């Protein structure tokens, strides 16, 4: 008993320590914040002499006392842009992208861990709870090696910055470090993150039961808060580069650190990145499960990894669905910040990349659907839905084709003459936003439909109003499709300023399907008659390739979108403040960019395979007893996720 | 059910015959017209009809005991779709887009035939047979492939290496991002906030709602609103400016942009690319009025760096027209096409 | 409940509910943005 109490005390102390670690950076920052408060009050100093120079914030339009030096005017040469016989920008691109891949992976996985561990704690089914717990543990194990790789890559990134872009980096760190210790806070947060992660991981076994488990769970919450804050800080740098604030027109810092951090695009970027990281993390874990599934030799392993892949996929997709809306918000803010920037992105120089992006989004949804259809193979009774899959394929393909049709088509001059214009009279209409919104919403609604079918695959509803429920569901989906397509067509007949508003009811239609139909379905399936258990592991290998495809598409798209976001600054280091005068201030060709992204993706997957392999090396040492905890029969996950 | 499926089969056969006729050039592609204003949705509906027809056909053939194997169903549907794109759609679709659609439909066919294990087995069987069955026919096929595949690949390589006289494909940036402001005749216009001074209501105030109500009908036929005829001399204000803009248009612009504003003027096909088609929903309908003002005054020569490959022979009209004339032409273009200039918010 | 399980009744009831729901969504979500959903039909 005394031992247990001691354990409790220890664990609570550990938790307090983590909270302390979390607060540490804030405590460190307090003095500087206090100075920050004083800065506006520094008007008193103005009376003393006219030496105090005032500047106007480029974004917030507030007056402030100039504290920093102006942004350096760089010249091409070894002083500002030292280099190897190679394009420095590409090296930096590579270092940045790899760091980001790993960074987002290690940020996302603990969030999954938290969710799964929580599911394990609240699940009443003992065997299932154990399984969830094991799964969460598996997840964190993968992320541990990845975590140290992230730190190493971060170091490489900083060295790359220091050696190849010293002038630019000293300006940025000047803003962030000399005047306000954002970079140091960042470093301290990183320490806090490491500490928490290690305690969380190594304390897993010790804190298995009862109260200690809850402590352990709260540790994961703290871990994720630290991780998220870390990312927000990093986002403030890219936000500053795209939409600077807190400095005057010459780039001189005006003493308000919050303005520098809280730029126009900071919050949209934060949201978009959190969701993106989660989807990406889900994809990578699903790919890991798929890889293990394909490599496993026993039915038991196959069952476990099938289940793991399914959960990871479901979590990833759950975050994928709101992602376009976050992206929409980001785009709106970009347009609000600088219309030019928005046009460069969506209609101008970078528009071709958005066509590629549309293709990738389509692939994501297509492979999700395909996976779900394959997953019906492991249930008895799902045959009644499989017959209709071909119609879903048709709807999906139509939506997809509309979604990826470029407005300005790639064609030879001869084809141009034959067509008689830049725009095709039929297909050109698919190229505008109205039709594309329709296309993607049809795709998402179909994905929802597939999910509903999957969830009721092996069940027959026993509620008294089952017949009405089914009819209602069918009609609701039909009307939703009709409404989406109607709105898409309607958009052609009304002026542009009214048309842009149509996307809101369109999206609302899709979300209605998502929420109402999932809710209705779970009510109908409560206590439903089962045609047979879900036979985990009895799934085709094709489905696992679909998961790998999903993960690859995620990775590729992340690389692409990062490139788009970064290159929209065109020839600026810091938009409209600090010009890029290196010889590489041009925008790459689409082909080069695509190759570079593919290279990054390939490199990431090779290294992450190495990480997975390391994980499996460790696993081999684990004695058999840890497996004995898992009962032979494979429990089913709760019906609702 | 049976009757319904037979009807479907009928549709399928009729559709196939029609498409066959188009492929063999017996029936012209324009035999069934693409109705202007409904073309995109018409295309999707046509393909949907075909799918329904094929379902009926497959059901009926099944009932008659002449089921088509899954393998040939898959291949057949894909070939159908390619032929449909090539022979049914007019004007001809560029190869790049057909390739995209072809790939998507191939993926879709794959998803269809492999959706359930049973289907996948059925689909795979003929392929497996060719690979390892010991019957005479399959052996013959194997040998054929042994000869044909290298020839095919050789042909591709030959095609790829053969020098071509065609110009290379260029990705055009059709609507480059505009500058924040532009200077025309000594006056600076901020593009985001400037307004067309002639887009006014009878009181002489800027009023987009009022002017939008007086443009031609968008949909079928582009008809003038009954009480909004700019060529009626009695009309003042907005409609008068539209008339003046029209006069300027027909004196200067219509040689290239066409008398129907669809980019097919007298000289249009001397240029590559041909002039902008204002009736397309992707040109002026997508842009702010000030964007058009900027483009008209600066012309092709004033395209920004971003406007790769700067392929435009549009003259900088500020050298020939006054600011007022340019605004009036812009006004006329929106009036005539029945589009509204884009506004933010 | 038994009346609802009659397919014809079920279809009619569902149609009424869903159609009115979507019309409501279209109208009010456009209205919230200060736009008019019925633009084309009013002109």
């Amino acid at each position: 008993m005394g031992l247990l109490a001691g354990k409790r005390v220890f664990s609570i102390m550990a938790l307090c320590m983590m909270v302390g670690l979390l607060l540490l950076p804030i405590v460190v920052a307090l003095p500087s914040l206090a100075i920050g408060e004083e800065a506006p009050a520094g008007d008193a100093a103005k009376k003393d002499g006219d030496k105090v120079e005032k500047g106007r914030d480029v974004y917030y339009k507030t007056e402030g006392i100039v504290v920093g030096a102006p942004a350096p005017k760089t010249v091409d040469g070894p002083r500002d842009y030292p280099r190897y016989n190679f394009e420095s920008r590409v090296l930096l691109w590579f270092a940045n992208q790899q760091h980001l891949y790993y960074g987002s992976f290690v940020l996302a996985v603990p969030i999954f861990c938290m969710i799964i561990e929580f599911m394990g704690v609240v699940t009443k089914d003992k065997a299932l709870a154990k399984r969830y717990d094991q799964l969460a543990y598996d997840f964190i194990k993968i992320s541990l090696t990845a975590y140290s790789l992230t730190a190493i890559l971060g170091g490489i990134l900083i060295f790359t910055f220091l050696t190849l872009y010293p002038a630019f980096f000293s300006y940025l760190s000047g803003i962030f470090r000399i005047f306000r210790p954002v970079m140091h806070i960042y470093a301290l947060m990183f320490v806090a993150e490491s500490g928490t992660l290690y305690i969380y991981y190594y304390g897993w076994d010790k804190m298995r039961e009862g109260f200690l488990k809850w402590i352990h769970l709260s540790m994961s919450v703290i871990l994720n808060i630290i991780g998220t804050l870390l990312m927000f800080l990093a986002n403030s740098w890219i936000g500053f580069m795209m939409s600077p604030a807190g400095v005057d027109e010459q780039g001189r810092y005006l003493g308000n650190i919050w303005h520098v951090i809280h730029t126009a695009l900071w919050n949209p970027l934060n949201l978009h990145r959190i969701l993106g990281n989660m989807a990406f993390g889900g994809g990578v874990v699903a790919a890991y499960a798929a890889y293990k599934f394909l490599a496993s030799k026993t039915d038991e392993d196959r069952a476990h990894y099938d289940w793991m892949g399914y959960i990871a996929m479901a979590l990833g997709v759950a975050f994928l669905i709101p992602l376009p809306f976050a992206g929409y918000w980001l785009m709106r803010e970009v347009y609000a910040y600088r219309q030019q920037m928005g046009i460069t992105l969506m209609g101008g120089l970078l528009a071709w990349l958005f066509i590629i992006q549309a293709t990738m989004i389509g692939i994501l949804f297509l492979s999700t659907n395909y996976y779900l259809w394959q997953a019906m193979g492991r249930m008895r009774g799902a045959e009644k839905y499989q017959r209709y899959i071909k119609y879903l394929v048709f709807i999906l393909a139509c939506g997809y084709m509309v979604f990826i049709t470029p407005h300005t088509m790639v064609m030879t001059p001869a084809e141009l003459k034959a067509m008689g214009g830049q725009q095709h009279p039929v297909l050109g209409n698919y190229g505008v936003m109205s039709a594309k919104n329709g296309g993607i919403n049809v795709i998402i609604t179909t994905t929802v439909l597939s999910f509903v079918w999957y969830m009721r695959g092996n069940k027959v509803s026993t509620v008294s109003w089952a017949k009405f429920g089914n009819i209602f569901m069918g009609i609701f989906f039909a009307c939703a499709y009709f409404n989406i397509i109607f709105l898409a067509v309607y958009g052609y007949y009304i002026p542009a300023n009214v048309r842009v508003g149509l996307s809101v009811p369109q999206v609302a239609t899709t979300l209605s399907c998502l929420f109402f139909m999932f809710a209705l379905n779970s009510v109908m399936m409560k206590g439903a008659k089962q045609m047979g258990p879900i036979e985990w592991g009895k799934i085709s290998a094709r489905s696992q390739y679909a998961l790998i495809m999903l993960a690859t598409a995620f990775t590729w798209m992340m690389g692409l979108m990062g490139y788009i976001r970064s290159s929209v600054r065109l020839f600026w280091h810091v938009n409209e403040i600090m010009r890029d005068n290196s010889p590489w201030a041009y925008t790459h060709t689409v082909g080069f960019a695509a190759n570079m992204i593919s290279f990054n993706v390939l490199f990431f997957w090779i290294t992450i395979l190495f990480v997975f392999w390391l994980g499996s090396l460790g696993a081999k040492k684990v004695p058999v007893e840890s497996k004995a905890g898992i009962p032979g029969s494979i429990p089913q996950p709760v019906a609702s996720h | 059910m049976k009757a319904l499926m037979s009807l479907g089969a009928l549709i399928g056969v009729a559709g196939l015959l029609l498409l066959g006729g188009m492929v063999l050039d017996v029936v012209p592609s324009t035999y069934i017209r693409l109705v202007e204003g409904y073309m995109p949705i018409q295309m999707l509906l046509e393909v949907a009809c075909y799918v329904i027809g094929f379902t009926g056909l497959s059901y009926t053939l099944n009932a008659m005991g002449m089921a088509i194997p899954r393998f040939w169903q898959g291949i057949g549907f894909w070939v159908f779709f390619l032929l449909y794109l090539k022979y049914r759609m007019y004007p001809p679709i560029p190869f790049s887009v057909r390739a995209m659609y072809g790939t998507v439909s191939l993926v879709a066919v794959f998803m269809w035939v492999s959706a359930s294990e049973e289907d996948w087995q059925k689909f795979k069987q003929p392929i497996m047979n060719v690979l390892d069955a010991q019957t005479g026919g399959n052996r013959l096929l194997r040998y054929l492939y042994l000869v044909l595949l290298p020839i095919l690949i050789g042909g591709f390589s030959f095609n790829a290496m053969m020098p071509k006289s065609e110009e290379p494909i260029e990705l055009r940036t059709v609507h480059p991002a505009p500058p924040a402001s532009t200077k025309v005749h000594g006056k600076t216009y901020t593009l985001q906030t400037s307004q067309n001074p002639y887009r006014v209501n009878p009181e002489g105030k800027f009023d987009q709602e009022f002017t939008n109500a007086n443009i031609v009908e968008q949909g079928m036929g582009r008809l003038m609103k009954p009480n909004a005829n700019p060529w009626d001399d009695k009309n003042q204000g907005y409609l008068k400016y539209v008339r003046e803009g029209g006069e300027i248009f027909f004196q200067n612009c219509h040689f290239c942009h066409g008398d129907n504003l669809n980019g097919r003027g007298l000289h249009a096909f001397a240029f590559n690319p041909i002039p902008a088609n204002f009736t397309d929903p992707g040109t002026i309908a997508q842009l702010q009025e000030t964007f058009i003002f900027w483009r008209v005054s600066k012309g092709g020569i004033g395209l920004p760096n971003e406007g790769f490959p700067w392929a435009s022979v549009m003259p900088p009209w500020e050298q020939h027209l006054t600011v007022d004339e340019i605004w009036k032409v812009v006004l006329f273009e929106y009036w005539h096409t029945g589009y509204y200039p884009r506004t933010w918010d | 409940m038994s009346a609802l399980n009659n397919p014809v009744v079920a279809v009619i009831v569902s149609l009424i509910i869903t159609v009115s729901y979507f019309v409501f969504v279209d109208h009010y979500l456009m209205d919230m943005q200060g736009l008019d959903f019925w633009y084309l039909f009013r002109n």
Side-chain angles (χ1 to χ4, degrees), chain A residues 492-564:
Chain A
Y492 286 97
Y493 297 96
I494 54 178
N497 57 337
V498 184
R499 185 194 314 143
V500 290
L502 286 180
S503 62
V504 178
Q506 235 170 6
V507 163
T509 307
T510 307
L511 291 181
S512 307
C513 281
L514 181 68
F515 292 121
F516 294 157
M517 292 300 105
F518 272 24
L520 183 63
N521 191 51
S522 57
V523 171
M524 281 177 75
M525 290 302 136
K526 198 161 255 175
K529 191 177 80 192
Q530 292 219 348
M531 312 281 285
I534 298 181
E535 295 159 350
W536 292 104
K538 287 228 169 91
I539 190 168
S540 65
R542 295 191 299 285
S543 67
Q544 304 300 310
Y545 290 114
L547 284 185
I548 293 173
M549 181 80 192
L550 190 73
T552 316
F554 267 131
T555 330
W556 212 92
M557 200 157 102
M558 212 167 124
L560 177 76
M561 298 314 285
Y563 167 68
I564 294 176

Side-chain angles (χ1 to χ4, degrees), chain C residues 4-22:
Chain C
L4 276 182
N5 278 340
N6 177 345
V8 181
V9 178
V11 167
I12 292 169
V13 171
S14 331
L15 264 179
I16 292 171
I17 297 174
T18 36
V19 169
S20 50
Y21 171 72
F22 282 123

